[in-house]
Amino acid sequence: MQRRGLLVAVLALCVGACHGRGEGAGHLLGFGSPGPLSANAVGYVNMDSVIAAHPLHAQLQAMQDQISILQQEAALVPAGLSPQQAAAYDAMQRELATAAQKFQADLAQRRTYYEQREAEAIARLQAATLGQSPDSGGVLGGLQQQYGQQAQALQKQAFATLNSYRVELFRQDNEHLKQVQQLIGNDMRAKLKQRESQLSTVETKYQIDLVKADQTQRLNLQAKLQNLALSDKDRKQYQDQLSAIDSREQSKINALKARDNAELTALERNLNAQAAAKYDAERKATQSATQAKLAARQRDMQTAMNPQMQQLSGKFQQQLNAANARLASNEKYKAQAQSVHNQMQSGYVDEASKAETSYRQIRADLITKYSAIAHTQFQDNEAIAAQADKLAADRRDLYQKIEEQVRGQVQQIAQKDGIAVVFGSTRAAGSAVDLTDQVTRAVTSLQTATSSPNASSSGGS
């Protein structure tokens, strides 16, 4: 009876995972009642609460946690790059960011186009069904458009703010971890250099002590060699003795240096292990703090949005009931509306899939290009990002199948109770019926063995 958005198509083609709760919140679930409508012809369901009660919700959350960790790791800059390699890496990141922004803008443009076409077609169908002018869109069409625009603007603003906050947190974390990495590296090198200097001082003193110890003997031999009357045999004997002194000293010095080099190698290995452990601890602490901040901001956003959504839905509901009663019982209208929705969704999915394929190729070409420029392979971060994308796709599949099961339960309960319109996670004012508890009980009783979607765990385990 009311227009359904391109929910599945939009979610399936997002870059990265959907974050947190409310993935399907704030929309009209759109179930009609085959029986006579009661006075309470509008209901609402807290979809977040119902999905949280699903037997597979824990798996859904575990996948999201792993996606968040992978995305955080994918943002880290590779260590040990030369200045030329670092410049190539930074240039690559700028071009990748530009390509991603263009891809998202293109998706948004395509989505807006198909949603507008669907809205116009549904409005004409509703106007024709209600006996109104096709150009006016009718009362229902105007109300839906007004409500949809206002609700979408609220959600778009809130989620844009949340996404900006998330991006800024990740940027700050990245800068912080780069500084931590640099400080740890500097500290390690300073300790190694200090010990090297100490050992070098000891080696120099040892060499001087050896020379002093042999000085008298060396001078005597050198004095004897200055005697021009020496026989060749005596001269060779004295020269051999001098060479033996030099060889003995050099052997002792080489032995000391070998021990010192072994000590420095062991110290460097130990310092590297300590530095890696310290950095890893700081990285985990930073990730944990960031996830806590994101969760808190998302809760605040939802709390702030709820009163505004309630006010919008209450006004919409008051004028919707009368027109909805007529549409709900018109089988021809419902079939035509479903056909329009399927056609528009199919067109969007096809175009968005092609756009995504093109974007992925552009990204791969950029990485290949700058890897060649830097004479190194920028593969690690991309591999992590691809792993996160794969896990995100698996999670989207799992979420959609869970949502399908929930929608099935909502439809059964709505039809049984004579509810014509059901809002998802939007509390309607007045006489709207809260179906959340009924749906939650029905979903909780689902058997995991028979309802578990075949979601892959690759990339997140």
Side-chain angles (χ1 to χ4, degrees):
M1 64 207 74
Q2 63 279 336
R3 181 176 63 84
R4 289 179 289 179
L6 301 171
L7 296 175
V8 175
V10 174
L11 287 174
L13 290 161
C14 287
V15 177
C18 297
H19 285 77
R21 299 165 51 204
E23 296 177 77
H27 56 277
L28 302 177
L29 299 181
F31 300 121
S33 170
L37 297 177
S38 66
N40 297 319
V42 176
Y44 65 89
V45 173
N46 187 329
M47 290 291 286
D48 290 345
S49 175
V50 173
I51 290 178
H54 194 280
L56 294 176
H57 182 264
Q59 180 181 345
L60 197 71
Q61 186 59 46
M63 295 171 77
Q64 179 59 55
D65 292 341
Q66 184 64 20
I67 289 168
S68 299
I69 292 173
L70 290 172
Q71 288 176 332
Q72 184 78 359
E73 291 180 351
L76 297 180
V77 177
L81 297 179
S82 68
Q84 293 79 6
Q85 290 173 330
Y89 179 84
D90 291 340
M92 181 184 73
Q93 291 301 318
R94 288 193 295 271
E95 290 205 41
L96 287 176
T98 299
Q101 292 171 0
K102 184 178 182 302
F103 170 63
Q104 290 297 330
D106 185 44
L107 274 188
Q109 184 178 9
R110 294 170 192 267
R111 181 168 59 249
T112 300
Y113 169 74
Y114 278 101
E115 286 181 344
Q116 184 176 355
R117 286 186 60 192
E118 180 176 348
E120 291 171 354
I122 294 296
R124 289 192 295 270
L125 281 176
Q126 291 174 343
T129 303
L130 296 173
Q132 299 168 343
S133 169
D135 296 332
S136 68
V139 175
L140 181 58
L143 289 175
Q144 285 181 326
Q145 183 177 12
Q146 181 182 8
Y147 174 81
Q149 288 175 346
Q150 293 175 342
Q152 186 178 27
L154 284 175
Q155 291 178 329
K156 183 177 180 180
Q157 180 180 3
F159 285 113
T161 301
L162 180 63
N163 188 60
S164 297
Y165 179 67
R166 178 189 296 109
V167 170
E168 178 60 19
L169 281 182
F170 285 173
R171 187 195 66 78
Q172 292 175 5
D173 288 352
N174 189 33
E175 290 298 321
H176 169 66
L177 290 175
K178 285 171 63 178
Q179 292 174 3
V180 168
Q181 189 178 51
Q182 184 176 6
L183 289 174
I184 292 175
N186 290 341
D187 180 63
M188 183 194 75
R189 287 187 288 273
K191 289 179 179 178
L192 192 62
K193 187 174 182 180
Q194 180 183 17
R195 185 54 182 159
E196 185 177 5
S197 177
Q198 292 172 347
L199 293 175
S200 178
T201 300
V202 172
E203 290 173 3
T204 300
K205 182 179 181 303
Y206 182 68
Q207 187 173 6
I208 292 172
D209 290 343
L210 286 177
V211 171
K212 286 182 178 180
D214 295 330
Q215 185 174 9
T216 300
Q217 186 180 3
R218 182 181 280 107
L219 290 175
N220 288 336
L221 290 171
Q222 289 173 347
K224 291 178 179 180
L225 287 171
Q226 291 177 3
N227 186 355
L228 299 178
L230 279 176
S231 64
D232 291 342
K233 178 180 179 181
D234 290 339
R235 185 175 298 279
K236 182 178 184 308
Q237 180 182 357
Y238 296 150
Q239 288 175 340
D240 289 344
Q241 289 176 5
L242 275 177
S243 296
I245 292 172
D246 292 339
S247 296
R248 183 174 65 253
E249 290 179 357
Q250 190 61 49
S251 177
K252 292 180 178 181
I253 292 170
N254 289 342
L256 179 60
K257 287 184 176 181
R259 291 194 299 270
D260 291 346
N261 288 336
E263 179 182 338
L264 287 174
T265 299
L267 176 61
E268 183 176 14
R269 183 166 54 249
N270 186 44
L271 288 174
N272 274 323
Q274 293 177 12
K278 189 174 182 180
Y279 177 81
D280 189 58
E282 182 63 23
R283 178 182 62 81
K284 290 178 179 177
T286 300
Q287 290 175 353
S288 178
T290 294
Q291 294 308 313
K293 290 176 184 177
L294 285 175
R297 178 60 66 91
Q298 193 164 14
R299 288 193 298 268
D300 292 344
M301 180 196 73
Q302 190 65 42
T303 300
M305 282 182 58
N306 280 340
Q308 301 175 69
M309 295 297 294
Q310 291 170 16
Q311 183 179 4
L312 284 176
S313 64
K315 180 179 178 182
F316 174 77
Q317 176 200 335
Q318 293 174 2
Q319 298 172 302
L320 176 64
N321 289 343
N324 182 71
R326 294 178 59 187
L327 294 176
S329 59
N330 191 311
E331 295 299 328
K332 180 180 179 181
Y333 162 76
K334 289 192 289 186
Q336 290 174 328
Q338 185 62 48
S339 176
V340 168
H341 171 73
N342 292 343
Q343 180 183 357
M344 298 303 171
Q345 183 175 13
S346 176
Y348 170 75
V349 169
D350 181 60
E351 289 193 17
S353 179
K354 292 177 182 177
E356 184 178 21
T357 299
S358 174
Y359 164 70
R360 294 300 178 192
Q361 186 59 53
I362 290 172
R363 182 179 181 87
D365 291 343
L366 286 173
I367 292 173
T368 300
K369 168 187 172 182
Y370 283 100
S371 294
I373 291 174
H375 301 292
T376 187
Q377 183 54 256
F378 296 129
Q379 287 288 344
D380 291 346
N381 284 1
E382 176 61 17
I384 294 172
Q387 189 179 13
D389 288 344
K390 175 62 171 63
L391 185 57
D394 292 342
R395 185 187 182 279
R396 284 193 295 270
D397 291 343
L398 177 59
Y399 184 89
Q400 289 168 8
K401 292 178 181 180
I402 289 174
E403 190 180 51
E404 265 183 42
Q405 293 179 344
V406 172
R407 284 177 175 273
Q409 298 301 316
V410 172
Q411 185 173 17
Q412 293 177 21
I413 292 171
Q415 290 176 347
K416 175 175 66 69
D417 293 350
I419 303 298
V421 177
V422 180
F423 289 86
S425 194
T426 302
R427 181 180 294 275
S431 59
V433 178
D434 185 358
L435 303 177
T436 302
D437 289 343
Q438 292 187 64
V439 177
T440 298
R441 287 193 297 271
V443 168
T444 303
S445 65
L446 291 174
Q447 293 296 319
T448 304
T450 59
S451 63
S452 174
N454 294 323
S456 171
S457 61
S458 63
S461 58

